[in-house]
């Protein structure tokens, strides 16, 4: 980290940046009114800090041993203004603000009719953002892989429907990018780019998706610790993209015998992560539990734990869905969830109010 | 399971019971106004059901493949009155009723003064039941093991303080029985007998503690599935003691790297268990998170998930406690927790109201 | 699965294939001298088996519910010749044959000198295949990511060195493909393409790498069950590439407290997998234990468990390596490992001899 | 730890011990020809080391922060003679010596005939120690709990058979103590007292069983880390009983989907534990895999990993056993296992030979 002097000139800043790049590292610049901070991205062991400290305009230069510095509260304390929480604005929706944001929609886009009908109904129920999978990650090559698995034309078609449905019902849309070849297509049509749990460790995908400069919904892998989750989120931030929505969606259950829930929803991770980073954290109770009859309870619990929002699978007729029917709720049930969650959020909200300085993007 | 005819006589019931005992099994009898159900406890493969079905007064006799039948909703459907929820009354406190029950107190009883001061303060904060460890299970023989570890006299003394503190501040008291030799002592002084997580699989202890016929607070082992947890609770019920308070306290965290919480609090287990059994389920956020700064959030989340109560470690000065100081909250913080949890409970309460027929004990 | 009649003509087979493709599925054809089997790849629910069964030349047509059929022993029983074990030939090296194959080399290629010296020394020690990472998957953006992380030129250079070192010391070479953009480069220079543990769930990468038609070294994810591991291997087989070397490299450790090994090496998975599939299974004790002082023991154990080979990190001076120094052994130690492992393999070899019909490729 | 001067008198040693006991701690005394070491057992924070250091005859007095010191190699370095490995002699059998020790027998004692026939056959196959469960820990109250579950008389009878079978076929016998009430009975008839995996955390049972001063076979809990395992073994050593045979028997499998083995056999724990402690470590492949067809492979792997022995369930007719039939092997198969394991042990034995000074008991 390099802290520039208050009177450092733009030229001096440029010189430092150039010097850093010589060693193969990149920079993350935080410019305040008075104070500019240059963060180093890459292997800091290569940097001769004493040399950098001696450059004109530099006040201090030192290494920082932290695996996720760009997204951490700790690191932001060096900034001119500490970041209390980061509010990500997408269209008219604020993620990370006072109200919990509700992302809802079908597991997979199956047809235009299905998508538009669900979009209309979840909008009425109170959802803010529309979800719908086009490229579905599946554990078996013999399962339905989303319309994206049927062919490129189908993928493009489904992407257009999603965009249209978002426009018609005034909701930003989010869908998953499962592989590098899908980045351009999805980034063209979607407002928020999702990286699924199975790809959390996929640093090449993270890096390339981050470069699209659109907000990213980033899911925790089911075998990952919080430390790993944040360390990989840092790959996104390292590309200069800090519009990251972290999503807890359940970890591998332990214990012998049958699983009563598909995954173990790690709700304590929500406040634990929020104490580490200023990024918003949402919860996906649908994939975590795999049980429609637990969605209400776990949605309420997530908001009570301080989550900034929910991602819920919804369908007018869950039993006819091609994937995940057993975990989707109806729009009517969604309405219930939203109503109660908003009231719970208000009750626990005073605590969140402690966070002071916001950063909108 | 043997379903007796409506007009079966007491003698006929006795004869069936005698017959079952011949095969080395025990019985669990549910007597309704019209209908008597005889449950079989033990290895059912030994029972000739056809023979039993032919006895006078017997309507039906058949085996049931369920690992935790006596405590299950499923099984209670055969009863004359299905059990909606079981409310356990201890003194004036109802566990499993409309209000969440709050169990609070120090991790370990350290002195009379410490205990009485905490008892007074948690009572004022709104707690209903007083906790305090005398025999502490510890991972190292080199750690403080509670006053019970200092000698028998100290154990008796601490038990008396606990009883007295409960009387003075009008709270039933709960403390852990860690080994068989402690059963008589603890059962004499405590109102609720706790079986700790490390002893969940200890069927001999479960059986012997159950025979004391006092309510049991039964904690899930950190490596146990919900199925195992309920299967071992059945060992208690099999002794004719169904006053069991189930307690989720966190499971082993997975993932590489440092743990941000001591255990993973499995909150989805709360509604999942409640759908299996009519027994009350409470949550211990103190041991689960091991972090004082997460107790508020996870208490709120637990109640929002539908928990019937909380077990929280509290101390007027956490930093001077001999054990677990980093996870205890102050009575003032406890008051906050209780206040918000009650309001959340009310919000989500309509759902619980669906459960219809209660059984008090 | 469609079983053709003994006298089915090529035209009839073509017609069936065309018919299947109409429904959006692909086929896997096993042609024996007398019997042709057409396997279906994709969502079988779309297929009208009754209709297919009625086509000329078809003897039987039915669906098979198995998540990894193309690589399974079970499925190969339908073939004219059951596959006992699959021997993958790369240059002069046989993987899956009577002798355990030894893959050795540095964790990461760091320089031409380092690579050539290690190549020479591991060859002398008895290694068959040379490994060396160019694109290193890392948990932190602040760590050395391999020469591939320094720039494209460096990546090409390192790939050439690897190829050259393999040629000079007569060993096929293997290196990891971490992202889709690296496929062409690596496939040009390496003999075996590695898909790392973190990418096990990355179906898009699997599919694209498989299409290169080169042998694939496929590592189990540290959070994956054996069932998932094989289900994702099926994604490779579904592209017509069955030259898959499965590699166990340790799963997430469970239990509280510090880890004595980096991961838990799941050696029972080796024979368990071999009973499911005819593919060779090797073990990587270096990443699994993360401890140089355990490599000898766990290599011996792996071969005793029936593994078809080992992948071991070796370096002439482990302490100066940029990555993983604490888990690399010296060429001398490697020689010891190979010597003892060969003798153990012979002892346990009679059992393996039971496997009868081989398939070379 | 208190290191006495070379010329310290017995009276001086006594005085130090008395002083330590004043603070509520106990001692572990290692007397060499020249050097006496007094280890402290209990909460060392209570001890004023400066005061102790000033007592006559004391050379040094200081605290040691290690959770399992009495059984550790590290701590034994302070002794006059470092312990290389501890050989536990039971009858004519040496556990921890050059040859792997084989413990075999039925899962549960079912009848005198069954036990004697199996004893005879496993003896012929080459087993050294006879096992047979009388008090079976079970996950369901509805399962067969061993003859000990049928009544006290049956328990006494089965214990006598076990003793007799051991005498007749010249094998020491081992059986599990599941609860405190069984200690006296089992200690009367068995040569080695087993504490099962489910009781690993049961410090009260450990302490009481240790006091019987018989060798203890101590199994790792399936959710326990190596650190916890050794920390609880220390509870046994703290009673002055260091005749502890550690047993790895598999930990909870992770990953979604069906388990191919009942538990995950953690073989790397064997050498990892042996580097921490001088105690012998054996492996139970039967409970770990739960699969008869994997016993041979995993037995070989265990010995190759350096295990000091095996505990294998065997039955002349596995399919008629009341418990665990699917994981038992026949005496013929056992013979195969023993034959190959001995040869593997010889191959890897040179490494073990490095351990120098032995302690027999």
């Amino acid at each position: 980290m390099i802290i520039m002097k208050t009177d450092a000139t733009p030229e001096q800043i440029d010189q430092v940046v150039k010097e850093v790049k010589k060693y193969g590292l990149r920079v993350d610049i935080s410019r305040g009114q008075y104070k500019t901070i240059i963060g180093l991205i890459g292997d800091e062991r290569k940097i001769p800090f004493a040399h950098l400290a001696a450059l004109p305009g530099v006040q201090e230069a030192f290494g920082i041993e932290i695996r996720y510095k760009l997204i951490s509260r700790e690191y932001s304390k060096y900034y001119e203004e500490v970041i209390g929480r980061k509010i990500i604005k997408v269209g008219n929706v604020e993620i990370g603000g006072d109200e919990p944001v509700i992302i809802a929609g079908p597991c997979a886009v199956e047809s235009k009719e299905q998508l538009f009908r669900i979009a209309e109904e979840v909008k009425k129920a109170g959802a803010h953002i529309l979800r719908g999978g086009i490229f579905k990650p599946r554990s078996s090559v013999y399962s339905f892989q989303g319309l994206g698995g049927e062919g490129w034309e189908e993928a493009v078609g489904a992407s257009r429907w999603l965009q249209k449905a978002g426009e018609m019902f005034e909701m930003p849309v989010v869908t998953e990018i499962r592989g590098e070849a899908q980045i351009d297509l999805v980034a063209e049509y979607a407002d928020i780019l999702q990286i699924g749990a199975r790809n959390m460790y996929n640093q090449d995908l993270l890096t390339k998706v981050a470069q699209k400069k659109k907000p990213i919904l980033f899911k925790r892998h089911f075998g990952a610790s919080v430390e790993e989750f944040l360390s990989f989120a840092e790959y996104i931030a390292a590309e200069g993209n800090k519009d990251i929505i972290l999503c807890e969606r359940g970890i591998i259950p332990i214990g012998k015998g049958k699983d009563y829930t598909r995954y173990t929803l790690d709700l304590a991770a929500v406040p634990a992560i929020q104490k580490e980073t200023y990024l918003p954290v949402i919860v996906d109770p649908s994939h975590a539990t795999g049980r429609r009859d637990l969605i209400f309870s776990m949605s309420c619990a997530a908001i009570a734990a301080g989550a900034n929002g929910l991602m819920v699978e919804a369908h007018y007729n869950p039993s006819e869905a091609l994937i995940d029917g057993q975990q989707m709720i109806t729009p009517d049930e969604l309405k219930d969830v939203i109503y109660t969650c908003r009231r719970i959020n208000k009750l626990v909200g005073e605590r969140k109010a402690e966070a002071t300085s916001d950063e909108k993007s």
Side-chain angles (χ1 to χ4, degrees), chain A:
Chain A
M1 153 172 283
I2 295 145
I3 304 175
M4 301 301 292
K5 286 184 183 155
T6 316
D7 57 358
T9 63
E11 291 71 30
Q12 290 174 334
I13 295 174
D14 282 357
Q15 198 197 337
V16 171
V17 170
K18 251 185 234 160
E19 197 64 20
V20 168
K21 288 186 174 168
K22 272 194 205 161
Y23 295 93
L25 279 79
R26 288 170 295 151
V27 298
D28 175 88
I29 303 180
S30 156
R31 287 179 219 269
Q33 203 175 343
Y34 307 105
K35 196 170 150 193
T36 293
I37 302 290
I38 303 175
L40 307 182
I41 300 166
D43 188 355
E44 289 194 349
R45 289 172 305 178
K46 300 176 182 169
I47 297 289
F49 284 106
H51 165 62
L52 286 179
L55 291 179
V58 173
Q59 187 180 308
E60 274 185 278
F62 50 92
I64 286 203
E65 287 276 336
I66 180 168
R67 289 173 72 180
Y68 42 89
K69 64 184 177 191
L70 300 182
I71 61 169
S72 71
R73 291 190 181 284
E74 192 55 33
Y75 187 81
S76 93
K77 286 178 189 163
Y78 291 100
Y79 293 173
E80 194 172 299
E81 274 186 82
V82 176
I83 306 177
R85 60 177 179 179
K86 181 168 179 73
I87 297 175
I88 299 169
K89 278 209 69 167
V90 187
N92 292 320
V93 180
E94 287 195 344
I95 304 153
D98 293 332
E99 283 295 313
V101 72
I102 308 297
I103 304 171
C107 176
V109 175
E110 295 176 12
S111 69
K112 194 174 172 185
E113 292 64 36
Q114 175 242 28
L115 178 65
F116 276 65
R117 180 165 163 199
I118 292 176
E120 181 173 12
E121 297 188 7
V122 300
K123 174 70 179 184
K124 273 190 202 154
H128 309 101
I129 296 173
L130 178 66
R131 64 152 285 152
I134 294 166
F135 299 99
K136 297 301 300 175
R138 299 307 298 274
S139 295
S140 169
V141 68
Y142 302 108
S143 307
F144 173 58
Q145 317 258 333
L147 287 177
E150 313 282 293
W152 194 248
E153 256 177 77
E154 286 83 350
V156 175
S159 302
R160 282 193 183 132
W161 298 337
L162 193 61
Q163 188 188 42
K164 288 260 166 70
E167 287 169 2
M168 178 168 299
F169 301 106
E170 296 180 331
M171 293 182 282
V173 300
V174 57
T175 194
E176 177 166 356
I177 296 175
R178 203 189 53 206
E180 297 177 31
Q182 301 145 17
I183 297 175
D184 286 341
L185 174 67
V186 173
E188 187 181 342
Y189 293 102
D191 303 292
I192 301 174
L193 313 179
Q194 179 178 325
I195 291 173
R198 286 185 178 80
N199 272 318
M200 189 204 88
Y201 293 105
N202 188 346
Q203 60 188 79
D204 291 80
L205 185 69
L206 268 55
T207 298
K208 289 198 169 62
V209 172
Q211 290 162 354
K212 287 292 176 182
K213 303 292 177 200
K214 286 199 159 187
I216 291 175
L217 194 161
F218 186 50
K219 286 189 151 190
R220 177 182 178 189
H221 188 275
F222 37 85
S225 65
V226 163
E227 193 176 27
E228 288 179 302
F229 186 27
L230 298 180
S231 296
F232 279 91
E234 187 82 355
Y235 272 104
I236 299 170
E239 297 300 317
N241 186 344
K242 294 177 197 163
D243 289 343
I244 308 168
I245 305 153
L246 300 169
C247 181
E248 158 64 26
R249 47 76 74 207
I251 53 176
I252 303 170
I254 64 160
K256 296 290 299 176
K258 71 169 175 139
D259 296 330
Y260 288 70
T261 52
R262 196 192 273 184
Y263 292 91
T264 299
L265 185 56
D266 181 10
L267 281 187
V270 172
I273 291 173
Q274 286 169 335
K275 284 178 195 296
E276 297 294 317
T277 173
Y278 47 76
L279 296 173
V281 184
I282 67 168
V283 168
D284 174 347
S286 305
H287 284 92
T289 64
R291 284 175 61 169
R292 183 180 169 182
D293 63 344
L294 300 186
I295 301 301
F296 178 86
S297 293
M298 298 324 293
S299 295
C300 292
I303 296 303
N308 300 100
L310 299 171
M311 183 159 189
V312 182
E313 292 187 351
H315 196 290
Y316 47 84
N317 187 356
S319 63
E320 74 177 37
L322 291 181
I323 318 182
D324 282 350
Q326 78 293 345
Q327 75 193 32
M328 289 203 253
I329 58 173
T330 63
D332 271 358
E333 291 168 321
L334 179 65
K335 202 174 161 182
D336 255 14
V337 165
I338 296 175
Y339 175 74
T340 308
C341 283
R342 277 198 185 142
R343 295 172 74 194
I344 291 175
N345 181 63
K346 224 174 155 183
L347 287 185
V348 300
E350 294 96 57
R351 291 254 160 173
K352 277 198 219 156
E354 288 167 23
T356 43
S357 114
D358 301 351
E359 173 172 296
K360 293 207 187 187
S361 66

